[in-house]
Amino acid sequence: MTSCVAEEPIKKIAIFGGTHGNELTGVFLVTHWLKNGAEIQRKGLEVKPFITNPRAVEKCARYIDCDLNRVFNLENLSKELSEDLPYEVRRAQEINDLFGPKNSDNSYDVVFDLHNTTSNMGCTLILEDSRNDFLIQMFHYIKTSLAPLPCYVYLIEHPSLKYSTTRSIAKYPVGIEVGPQPQGVLRADILDQMRRMIRHALDFIHHFNEGKEFPPCAIEVYKIMEKVDYPRNESGEVAAVIHPSLQDQDWKPLNPGDPVFVSLDGKIITLGGDCTVYPVFVNEAAYYEKKEAFAKTTKLTLNAKSIRSTLH
Amino acid sequence: MSSLPAPREPLRRVAVTGGTHGNEMCGIYLIRHWLQAPGELQRASFSAMPVLANPAATAACRRYVDRDLNRTFTLTLLSSTATPSDPYEVTRAQELNRLLGPKGTDQAFDFVLDLHNTTANTGVCLISEASHSAFSLHLCHYLQLQSLGVPCRLLQYETSGKETYSVESVSKDGICLELGPQPQGVLRADLFSQMRTLVASILDFIELFNQGMAFPAFEMDIYRVLGSVDFPRTADGDLTGTVHPQLQDHDFEPLRPGEPIFKLFSGEDVLYEGNSTVYPVFINEAAYYEKHVAFLKSERIRVQVPALPGLTSSSTLAP
């Protein structure tokens, strides 16, 4: 048998909701599972649902002081605790104590972090590391199980654009992003899709722990290339909006010369460069302040070796 | 329908307000644009004044800072003595009342058009108080005749017994324009240009009225608010479900007794138990969770609208 990777069985899993307090699907799924968790339990696994930013959830805001999903770097996690620290940095340290410590043997095996976007991204899995056979196998399983419903994989591996996510404290961090859904709104269709993604993910882990061998597989992923800001005027205000022909067209090819923005007085700005890109997070509400109108990605294929749990 | 009040003088002092809710982006961007380039708001007989209604909430990209500005224009709040501890929106409502009112007086603006977005799939929706109906019914009918490619509906709410409280209530006549669906904090080019076209048509209608045009009688369907329905909740107030997929995005479509309205997290459906067909509006609007409103129930009624007589030549304005 060629190169089957033997991996440790999974023991501890966390499902995070409310990392952004106005992305309601994760907030309500986690709140529901805290009271009635039968559907997320699997034999031999500890699965812990957890609200990561309760104060932001209470306020129905993305965050209180700063974005919780950007502060899980070692600098913030090792800061001396004080009342002067932003709320989310203090909270990140608590989460790191409970589910980490990041990069240690004690950390949780898998963290699923549940998010929504106002962009038309459908079911999206976010991958942080292109060489992670276990997660590529898991994402392959989820994609296959959801078909014909599309499920896309967004790879955020990048020397400068990768950010310090809440889930990055786990050995296997999984971002789950489902849209479009406005902030502060809970849609039943989106809720059902996210619930199915979690169910398939847990089933995969269960099969893996039971000793099932997963043969080599390949998945298509969209790797971040660069973030594109809105055109702005001298005072920094947005001076053009996403063009109607790009709006809602996440994951679709965008070619040089295609319209990207339209200014408030009707001027059209087109895509430069000489290559086709695949836009994601098109017109996401929370990214206006991050100066991101959309991100350009490139499409590539990732291969995973066969995997099997070491117990069998 | 009995005779209804209609203006008998040209509407000379007109304002367009946006950013009453600081995360409803179409009005905010239109007002910002018009503050720089007001040409689009000018007509022969008047120039509409653009007003950013809630600048602090707009800067924070939130609906409001301390309280909902669009519920703050009551005579009690407008006439209360200012103190440093007043909620921001009370202070701002008093400022706007000085600018556009005072409410209920002859000095008040003739017409205020207040621009809003909703996360609900309402399409184009004009909202007016029932007492303002003659002019607003003709305005809505005029928009319907412009072939904008989408239905334009009028939602009326009764304030009888209750005081009016909306931004446009400071003016003698006014209307609220809602456009959806658009998420909070997002500006969509399609809705932005649609709202821009609608504002232009509304100003055109006022101009025609000012020039003395008479508008004939007609019949139309309007929607009248009957009440609201809250989400299913636990005793502690937590949601136990959300709007059913069969109701989601079906604003202004008939909801019959026995049809599903909510999907519980447990998987069960909650059915509509009323005894007559209603027309839900503002289904799953983000800002209404805190108001305990999953949707409004309205009734569809056919109204006979009397002609809007032309202004006499002595009262019309020379171009």
Side-chain angles (χ1 to χ4, degrees), chain A residues 271-290:
Chain A
L271 184 71
D274 50 12
C275 63
T276 297
V277 299
Y278 298 83
V280 296
F281 285 110
V282 177
N283 213 350
E284 157 57 41
Y287 289 178
Y288 281 66
E289 66 173 25
K290 294 190 198 290

Side-chain angles (χ1 to χ4, degrees), chain A residues 110-253:
Chain A
V110 182
V111 168
F112 298 103
D113 195 16
L114 306 182
H115 290 264
N116 293 118
T117 171
T118 64
S119 306
N120 187 26
M121 287 172 67
C123 295
T124 301
L125 292 159
I126 304 181
L127 182 65
E128 305 202 357
D129 172 8
S130 60
R131 289 150 307 171
N132 194 318
D133 289 316
F134 178 78
L135 286 183
I136 294 169
Q137 286 282 3
M138 180 197 288
F139 289 8
H140 179 260
Y141 181 91
I142 296 170
K143 281 166 70 79
T144 309
S145 306
L146 284 172
L149 183 69
C151 175
Y152 304 91
V153 179
Y154 181 36
L155 174 63
I156 60 168
E157 191 176 63
H158 191 279
S160 58
L161 298 177
K162 185 171 176 177
Y163 50 92
S164 314
T165 60
T166 309
R167 57 190 176 267
S168 68
I169 52 175
K171 297 185 182 80
Y172 299 114
V174 179
I176 294 186
E177 185 85 61
V178 189
Q181 180 171 267
Q183 296 175 345
V185 167
L186 183 64
R187 287 184 64 105
D189 49 358
I190 300 281
L191 184 127
D192 178 61
Q193 289 169 18
M194 188 177 276
R195 208 170 189 171
R196 286 164 63 190
M197 292 172 82
I198 284 290
R199 185 176 80 221
H200 297 314
L202 294 173
D203 287 348
F204 168 83
I205 296 170
H206 178 68
H207 294 319
F208 171 77
N209 277 0
E210 296 279 297
K212 180 177 163 62
E213 183 176 329
F214 293 87
C217 71
I219 58 171
E220 186 176 75
V221 307
Y222 295 80
K223 183 179 182 180
I224 187 166
M225 298 162 67
E226 70 176 294
K227 296 178 178 178
V228 180
D229 188 17
Y230 295 93
R232 292 177 188 266
N233 62 22
E234 312 79 55
S235 31
E237 287 167 351
V238 168
V241 298
I242 295 287
H243 191 277
S245 67
L246 175 59
Q247 177 71 46
D248 305 327
Q249 303 302 309
D250 301 73
W251 312 112
K252 308 262 176 68

Side-chain angles (χ1 to χ4, degrees), chain A residues 8 18 38 46 76 126 175 200 243 254 256-257 261 266 278:
Chain A
E8 292 283 319
E46 178 196 335
N76 277 316
I126 304 181
H200 297 314
H243 191 277
L254 182 70
F261 295 108
Y278 298 83

Side-chain angles (χ1 to χ4, degrees), chain A residues 77 96-108 169:
Chain A
L77 295 178
N96 191 44
D97 290 342
L98 287 168
F99 298 96
K102 185 169 176 168
N103 301 334
S104 80
D105 287 343
N106 294 328
S107 67
Y108 268 54
I169 52 175

Side-chain angles (χ1 to χ4, degrees), chain B residues 8 13 33 69 94 106 179 186 191 199 211 275 286 297:
Chain B
R8 297 310 310 145
R13 297 170 72 220
H33 178 68
L69 179 64
Q94 293 179 353
D106 283 348
L179 209 52
V186 167
L191 272 76
V199 172
Q211 296 299 342
N275 40 29
K297 288 186 293 184

Side-chain angles (χ1 to χ4, degrees), chain A residues 24 28-29 31-32 35 39 59 118 181-189 191 195 230 237-244 247-248 262-266 283-286 288, chain B residues 25 29-30 32-33 40 62 119 182-190 192 196 231 234 238-245 248-249 263-267 284-287 289:
Chain A
L24 295 192
F28 283 95
L29 279 175
T31 305
H32 174 68
K35 284 180 262 179
E39 76 180 88
K59 208 176 155 192
T118 64
Q181 180 171 267
Q183 296 175 345
V185 167
L186 183 64
R187 287 184 64 105
D189 49 358
L191 184 127
R195 208 170 189 171
Y230 295 93
E237 287 167 351
V238 168
V241 298
I242 295 287
H243 191 277
Q247 177 71 46
D248 305 327
V262 55
S263 75
L264 303 192
D265 42 21
N283 213 350
E284 157 57 41
Y288 281 66
Chain B
M25 305 304 269
Y29 276 88
L30 281 171
R32 277 188 188 150
H33 178 68
E40 276 172 58
R62 281 160 56 182
T119 65
Q182 181 173 265
Q184 296 176 344
V186 167
L187 180 63
R188 288 183 63 105
D190 49 0
F192 177 82
R196 197 175 194 168
F231 290 93
T234 64
D238 294 334
L239 299 197
T240 56
T242 191
V243 170
H244 196 278
Q248 177 74 46
D249 305 327
K263 172 71 91 177
L264 300 183
F265 300 139
S266 62
N284 216 347
E285 156 58 39
Y289 280 64

